[in-house]
mmCIF file of all heavy atoms in Angstrom:
data_model
loop_
_atom_site.group_PDB
_atom_site.id
_atom_site.type_symbol
_atom_site.label_atom_id
_atom_site.label_comp_id
_atom_site.label_asym_id
_atom_site.label_seq_id
_atom_site.Cartn_x
_atom_site.Cartn_y
_atom_site.Cartn_z
ATOM 1 N N LEU B 16 17.229 39.198 -37.747
ATOM 2 C CA LEU B 16 15.832 39.238 -38.288
ATOM 3 C C LEU B 16 15.667 40.373 -39.244
ATOM 4 O O LEU B 16 15.803 41.547 -38.900
ATOM 5 C CB LEU B 16 14.825 39.337 -37.177
ATOM 6 C CG LEU B 16 13.371 38.954 -37.515
ATOM 7 C CD1 LEU B 16 13.296 37.530 -38.037
ATOM 8 C CD2 LEU B 16 12.487 39.106 -36.293
ATOM 9 N N GLU B 49 7.906 35.828 -32.079
ATOM 10 C CA GLU B 49 6.440 35.903 -32.055
ATOM 11 C C GLU B 49 5.912 36.442 -33.363
ATOM 12 O O GLU B 49 6.573 37.158 -34.105
ATOM 13 C CB GLU B 49 6.036 36.779 -30.863
ATOM 14 C CG GLU B 49 4.951 36.182 -29.995
ATOM 15 C CD GLU B 49 5.345 34.896 -29.335
ATOM 16 O OE1 GLU B 49 6.598 34.685 -29.075
ATOM 17 O OE2 GLU B 49 4.476 34.097 -29.020
ATOM 18 N N MET B 51 3.934 38.725 -34.201
ATOM 19 C CA MET B 51 3.788 40.158 -34.366
ATOM 20 C C MET B 51 5.125 40.841 -34.713
ATOM 21 O O MET B 51 5.141 41.927 -35.269
ATOM 22 C CB MET B 51 3.249 40.826 -33.105
ATOM 23 C CG MET B 51 1.910 40.212 -32.645
ATOM 24 S SD MET B 51 2.255 38.597 -31.876
ATOM 25 C CE MET B 51 0.669 37.760 -32.118
ATOM 26 N N SER B 52 6.185 40.131 -34.443
ATOM 27 C CA SER B 52 7.499 40.705 -34.763
ATOM 28 C C SER B 52 7.666 40.797 -36.289
ATOM 29 O O SER B 52 8.422 41.699 -36.764
ATOM 30 C CB SER B 52 8.603 39.793 -34.209
ATOM 31 O OG SER B 52 8.396 39.611 -32.824
ATOM 32 N N HIS B 55 7.285 44.098 -38.347
ATOM 33 C CA HIS B 55 8.334 45.152 -38.389
ATOM 34 C C HIS B 55 9.154 45.011 -39.684
ATOM 35 O O HIS B 55 9.927 45.941 -40.038
ATOM 36 C CB HIS B 55 9.248 45.090 -37.169
ATOM 37 C CG HIS B 55 8.553 45.502 -35.907
ATOM 38 N ND1 HIS B 55 8.485 46.798 -35.504
ATOM 39 C CD2 HIS B 55 7.861 44.747 -35.004
ATOM 40 C CE1 HIS B 55 7.783 46.861 -34.369
ATOM 41 N NE2 HIS B 55 7.403 45.632 -34.048
ATOM 42 N N HIS B 56 9.030 43.851 -40.386
ATOM 43 C CA HIS B 56 9.906 43.628 -41.541
ATOM 44 C C HIS B 56 9.121 43.341 -42.823
ATOM 45 O O HIS B 56 9.687 43.320 -43.888
ATOM 46 C CB HIS B 56 10.852 42.483 -41.257
ATOM 47 C CG HIS B 56 11.717 42.666 -40.036
ATOM 48 N ND1 HIS B 56 11.361 42.195 -38.825
ATOM 49 C CD2 HIS B 56 12.846 43.375 -39.862
ATOM 50 C CE1 HIS B 56 12.274 42.513 -37.930
ATOM 51 N NE2 HIS B 56 13.201 43.251 -38.533
ATOM 52 P P DC C 2 14.703 48.479 -36.381
ATOM 53 O OP1 DC C 2 16.006 48.782 -35.806
ATOM 54 O OP2 DC C 2 14.614 48.012 -37.791
ATOM 55 O "O5'" DC C 2 13.987 47.406 -35.466
ATOM 56 C "C5'" DC C 2 14.814 46.378 -34.852
ATOM 57 C "C4'" DC C 2 14.158 45.874 -33.620
ATOM 58 O "O4'" DC C 2 13.336 46.887 -32.961
ATOM 59 C "C3'" DC C 2 13.133 44.729 -33.848
ATOM 60 O "O3'" DC C 2 13.788 43.528 -33.443
ATOM 61 C "C2'" DC C 2 11.928 45.079 -32.963
ATOM 62 C "C1'" DC C 2 12.433 46.262 -32.135
ATOM 63 N N1 DC C 2 11.392 47.232 -31.760
ATOM 64 C C2 DC C 2 10.875 47.254 -30.417
ATOM 65 O O2 DC C 2 11.267 46.406 -29.624
ATOM 66 N N3 DC C 2 9.898 48.181 -30.094
ATOM 67 C C4 DC C 2 9.491 49.073 -30.970
ATOM 68 N N4 DC C 2 8.571 49.946 -30.586
ATOM 69 C C5 DC C 2 10.033 49.100 -32.291
ATOM 70 C C6 DC C 2 10.943 48.164 -32.660
ATOM 71 P P DC C 3 13.103 42.111 -33.870
ATOM 72 O OP1 DC C 3 14.120 41.076 -33.846
ATOM 73 O OP2 DC C 3 12.329 42.356 -35.148
ATOM 74 O "O5'" DC C 3 12.075 41.862 -32.705
ATOM 75 C "C5'" DC C 3 12.588 41.339 -31.486
ATOM 76 C "C4'" DC C 3 11.600 41.512 -30.373
ATOM 77 O "O4'" DC C 3 10.996 42.820 -30.508
ATOM 78 C "C3'" DC C 3 10.394 40.573 -30.392
ATOM 79 O "O3'" DC C 3 10.651 39.551 -29.401
ATOM 80 C "C2'" DC C 3 9.161 41.406 -30.145
ATOM 81 C "C1'" DC C 3 9.769 42.774 -29.764
ATOM 82 N N1 DC C 3 8.926 43.915 -30.223
ATOM 83 C C2 DC C 3 8.034 44.511 -29.307
ATOM 84 O O2 DC C 3 7.968 44.034 -28.139
ATOM 85 N N3 DC C 3 7.264 45.568 -29.676
ATOM 86 C C4 DC C 3 7.420 46.011 -30.926
ATOM 87 N N4 DC C 3 6.629 47.091 -31.268
ATOM 88 C C5 DC C 3 8.279 45.424 -31.891
ATOM 89 C C6 DC C 3 9.024 44.419 -31.496
ATOM 90 P P DT C 4 9.559 38.333 -29.336
ATOM 91 O OP1 DT C 4 10.230 37.215 -28.610
ATOM 92 O OP2 DT C 4 9.015 38.117 -30.663
ATOM 93 O "O5'" DT C 4 8.475 38.923 -28.423
ATOM 94 C "C5'" DT C 4 8.761 39.184 -27.065
ATOM 95 C "C4'" DT C 4 7.533 39.798 -26.423
ATOM 96 O "O4'" DT C 4 7.142 40.982 -27.147
ATOM 97 C "C3'" DT C 4 6.266 38.920 -26.356
ATOM 98 O "O3'" DT C 4 6.074 38.473 -25.038
ATOM 99 C "C2'" DT C 4 5.139 39.783 -26.871
ATOM 100 C "C1'" DT C 4 5.769 41.189 -26.906
ATOM 101 N N1 DT C 4 5.263 42.071 -27.963
ATOM 102 C C2 DT C 4 4.291 42.959 -27.678
ATOM 103 O O2 DT C 4 3.798 43.104 -26.559
ATOM 104 N N3 DT C 4 3.897 43.770 -28.730
ATOM 105 C C4 DT C 4 4.360 43.698 -30.014
ATOM 106 O O4 DT C 4 3.986 44.458 -30.894
ATOM 107 C C5 DT C 4 5.384 42.699 -30.279
ATOM 108 C C7 DT C 4 5.948 42.567 -31.618
ATOM 109 C C6 DT C 4 5.780 41.947 -29.253
ATOM 110 P P DG C 5 5.437 37.058 -24.724
ATOM 111 O OP1 DG C 5 6.312 36.488 -23.684
ATOM 112 O OP2 DG C 5 5.238 36.350 -25.975
ATOM 113 O "O5'" DG C 5 4.038 37.405 -24.091
ATOM 114 C "C5'" DG C 5 3.965 38.267 -22.958
ATOM 115 C "C4'" DG C 5 2.624 38.929 -22.869
ATOM 116 O "O4'" DG C 5 2.446 39.858 -23.984
ATOM 117 C "C3'" DG C 5 1.439 37.942 -22.967
ATOM 118 O "O3'" DG C 5 0.672 37.974 -21.786
ATOM 119 C "C2'" DG C 5 0.630 38.396 -24.224
ATOM 120 C "C1'" DG C 5 1.154 39.763 -24.516
ATOM 121 N N9 DG C 5 1.321 40.109 -25.930
ATOM 122 C C8 DG C 5 1.950 39.364 -26.898
ATOM 123 N N7 DG C 5 1.917 39.900 -28.073
ATOM 124 C C5 DG C 5 1.181 41.089 -27.899
ATOM 125 C C6 DG C 5 0.854 42.075 -28.852
ATOM 126 O O6 DG C 5 1.110 42.141 -30.044
ATOM 127 N N1 DG C 5 0.108 43.108 -28.245
ATOM 128 C C2 DG C 5 -0.212 43.152 -26.914
ATOM 129 N N2 DG C 5 -0.924 44.205 -26.547
ATOM 130 N N3 DG C 5 0.086 42.243 -26.049
ATOM 131 C C4 DG C 5 0.793 41.214 -26.585
ATOM 132 P P DA C 6 -0.607 37.080 -21.592
ATOM 133 O OP1 DA C 6 -0.721 36.804 -20.158
ATOM 134 O OP2 DA C 6 -0.518 35.978 -22.523
ATOM 135 O "O5'" DA C 6 -1.801 38.079 -22.045
ATOM 136 C "C5'" DA C 6 -1.753 39.428 -21.689
ATOM 137 C "C4'" DA C 6 -2.899 40.238 -22.342
ATOM 138 O "O4'" DA C 6 -2.547 40.615 -23.665
ATOM 139 C "C3'" DA C 6 -4.228 39.415 -22.457
ATOM 140 O "O3'" DA C 6 -5.325 40.235 -22.111
ATOM 141 C "C2'" DA C 6 -4.229 39.035 -23.911
ATOM 142 C "C1'" DA C 6 -3.588 40.231 -24.605
ATOM 143 N N9 DA C 6 -2.973 39.966 -25.846
ATOM 144 C C8 DA C 6 -2.205 38.851 -26.210
ATOM 145 N N7 DA C 6 -1.740 38.922 -27.417
ATOM 146 C C5 DA C 6 -2.278 40.079 -27.954
ATOM 147 C C6 DA C 6 -2.179 40.670 -29.221
ATOM 148 N N6 DA C 6 -1.490 40.130 -30.238
ATOM 149 N N1 DA C 6 -2.833 41.838 -29.397
ATOM 150 C C2 DA C 6 -3.513 42.355 -28.390
ATOM 151 N N3 DA C 6 -3.696 41.906 -27.146
ATOM 152 C C4 DA C 6 -3.010 40.727 -26.991
ATOM 153 P P DA C 7 -6.834 39.642 -22.098
ATOM 154 O OP1 DA C 7 -7.515 40.295 -21.012
ATOM 155 O OP2 DA C 7 -6.757 38.167 -22.201
ATOM 156 O "O5'" DA C 7 -7.452 40.208 -23.483
ATOM 157 C "C5'" DA C 7 -7.364 41.558 -23.754
ATOM 158 C "C4'" DA C 7 -7.775 41.827 -25.208
ATOM 159 O "O4'" DA C 7 -6.793 41.361 -26.101
ATOM 160 C "C3'" DA C 7 -9.095 41.160 -25.614
ATOM 161 O "O3'" DA C 7 -10.088 42.164 -25.972
ATOM 162 C "C2'" DA C 7 -8.725 40.282 -26.830
ATOM 163 C "C1'" DA C 7 -7.388 40.911 -27.284
ATOM 164 N N9 DA C 7 -6.461 39.975 -27.949
ATOM 165 C C8 DA C 7 -6.024 38.780 -27.409
ATOM 166 N N7 DA C 7 -5.180 38.149 -28.212
ATOM 167 C C5 DA C 7 -5.168 38.957 -29.355
ATOM 168 C C6 DA C 7 -4.533 38.795 -30.592
ATOM 169 N N6 DA C 7 -3.729 37.791 -30.863
ATOM 170 N N1 DA C 7 -4.684 39.774 -31.493
ATOM 171 C C2 DA C 7 -5.492 40.825 -31.203
ATOM 172 N N3 DA C 7 -6.161 41.053 -30.054
ATOM 173 C C4 DA C 7 -5.923 40.062 -29.195
#
Side-chain angles (χ1 to χ4, degrees):
Chain B
L16 197 56
E49 229 61 27
M51 305 76 204
S52 307
H55 291 273
H56 303 96

